[in-house]
Amino acid sequence: QVQLVESGGGLVQAGGSLRLSCVASGSISSINAMGWYRQAPGKQRELVAGISSGGATNYADSVKGRFTISDPNAKNTVYLQMNSLKPEDTAVYYCNANVRPSGSWLARDYWGQGTQVTVSS
């Protein structure tokens, strides 16, 4: 069993900053990649940022230059530093990890429960 637990969401004014954290725990053999997605009301879930086990990162165009994803691999933790937040960043943010559980040859995606980020104008 693999669990992802997020923290760090909240309410912030436009131009402010927040840092989201996600910790993966349980029977983990390896993690191939971790990332953050978000879903605003009435919209589809979208990728915000991702990082591979090798450290390669990718970002949605809308957050480039404002958000930074980082992953202290040894602790199975990923952070999303969000700066210069805008009202359009308001959404539920979900942590995602592609994990190979212990005793399995196959990797699969796991999701956290989501954390609300609200940016007021």
Side-chain angles (χ1 to χ4, degrees):
Q1 190 76 2
V2 175
Q3 299 87 33
L4 301 182
V5 178
E6 303 124 330
S7 61
L11 173 64
V12 65
Q13 289 188 332
S17 298
L18 284 174
R19 189 176 82 155
L20 305 183
S21 302
C22 174
V23 179
S25 63
S27 300
I28 296 171
S29 178
S30 62
I31 298 178
N32 297 317
M34 296 185 77
W36 291 92
Y37 287 71
R38 67 186 180 187
Q39 187 166 19
K43 295 188 177 182
Q44 289 189 332
R45 189 173 297 190
E46 63 174 358
L47 174 68
V48 176
I51 184 166
S52 71
S53 57
T57 58
N58 64 301
Y59 296 91
D61 287 343
S62 60
V63 307
K64 284 180 181 177
R66 300 188 297 122
F67 291 10
T68 302
I69 188 168
S70 60
D71 172 20
N73 247 329
K75 296 183 180 179
N76 290 347
T77 303
V78 66
Y79 301 95
L80 185 68
Q81 178 66 43
M82 305 186 293
N83 298 328
S84 302
L85 282 160
K86 304 175 181 180
E88 51 263 45
D89 294 317
T90 295
V92 177
Y93 284 69
Y94 296 91
C95 179
N96 168 271
N98 186 261
V99 176
R100 185 163 70 87
S102 299
S104 174
W105 290 102
L106 298 176
R108 54 156 287 192
D109 282 344
Y110 292 85
W111 293 89
Q113 79 285 357
T115 184
Q116 177 70 46
V117 171
T118 303
V119 184
S120 63
S121 57

